Amino acid sequence: MTTNAALAVTGSNLAGDVPFAVALALPGGAVVGARPNPGERGDLARLCAELCAAHGVAPADLGEVRVDVGPGSYTGLRVAVTFVRCLLQFGGVRVQALDSLALLAARARATPGDVRVVLDARRDRVHLQSFVISPASVAATSPPAAVPFAAALAAITPGARVVVPGNLPAAMTAALRAAGAAVQVEATVLATELFAPGLPFVAAATADLEPRYLMGSYAEE
């Protein structure tokens, strides 16, 4: 039986490809993941159960759960966060929560330095945040905000590094490039990446697990 395993869950669906993804960090250091096939509806509880069973992990073996809390998909976040709340309430696990923008920023860690993340917030608005990254850390240099795309575009300087998901509207991606940004497009974001080093997780209690929806009040700030 495996002990001290950790589970990671993402329902933010940042790239718009799959509704959920899950991962396990095993005691020996291996990290394994599972996700539905593109186009499938997906079942988060089944994904977790099948992944754990495949690697000999019982529910009692889980010591920690990691989750990104948005911004992201309304349905995916609602299901994922509710699932993690149940594990926290009844399973006695530690929960570490992460803003999804930091998860996306980490995709650029191979080249250290400043990077901005731009995520579609609908209604011609975007979620925007700046980070400084290295292979060992992802640190925010500005708070997350939802702003009109025109404002985000006006702040772009030639050569600025910008990470966007593959489902950002093509016109926005083109406008960022026309403004001189070096745009990195990410077609998918895997749950295994929640185990990457240096991510700015926060220990979360049940009351702290509040999802940030793309078009919720968070997008009006």
Side-chain angles (χ1 to χ4, degrees):
M1 178 178 291
T2 304
T3 59
N4 299 320
L7 177 71
V9 175
T10 176
S12 56
N13 195 9
L14 289 174
D17 54 341
V18 294
F20 309 108
V22 300
L24 272 177
L26 302 172
V31 175
V32 293
R35 62 204 303 263
N37 294 320
E40 291 183 357
R41 179 178 179 181
D43 183 319
L44 179 59
R46 180 179 59 81
L47 275 175
C48 290
E50 290 180 351
L51 183 63
C52 287
H55 295 277
V57 176
D61 298 329
L62 293 175
E64 180 178 288
V65 177
R66 298 186 178 193
V67 61
D68 62 323
V69 294
S73 161
Y74 177 84
T75 301
L77 284 173
R78 183 178 60 185
V79 172
V81 171
T82 299
F83 178 76
V84 173
R85 281 174 173 164
C86 289
L87 293 178
L88 178 61
Q89 188 71 26
F90 301 110
V93 296
R94 300 181 305 276
V95 172
Q96 301 288 326
L98 178 72
D99 191 293
S100 300
L101 295 171
L103 183 61
L104 197 56
R107 296 305 299 268
R109 69 194 318 148
T111 305
D114 296 329
V115 66
R116 295 177 185 176
V117 173
V118 174
L119 181 67
D120 187 18
R122 313 291 192 264
R123 295 174 298 204
D124 205 34
R125 296 167 67 84
V126 293
H127 296 281
L128 177 70
Q129 191 170 15
S130 297
F131 298 85
V132 60
I133 58 174
S134 75
S137 68
V138 176
T141 56
S142 70
V147 302
F149 178 65
L153 192 62
I156 294 296
T157 55
R161 296 167 60 208
V162 179
V163 180
V164 304
N167 64 348
L168 187 75
M172 288 185 174
T173 302
L176 289 167
R177 286 182 168 137
V183 180
Q184 177 176 328
V185 179
E186 293 297 334
T188 190
V189 178
L190 304 175
T192 52
E193 293 163 28
L194 285 162
F195 292 114
L199 291 173
F201 282 98
V202 175
T206 303
D208 301 319
L209 291 172
E210 290 294 335
R212 294 173 169 174
Y213 301 124
L214 287 175
M215 295 179 63
S217 59
Y218 174 74
E220 300 300 325
E221 295 174 2

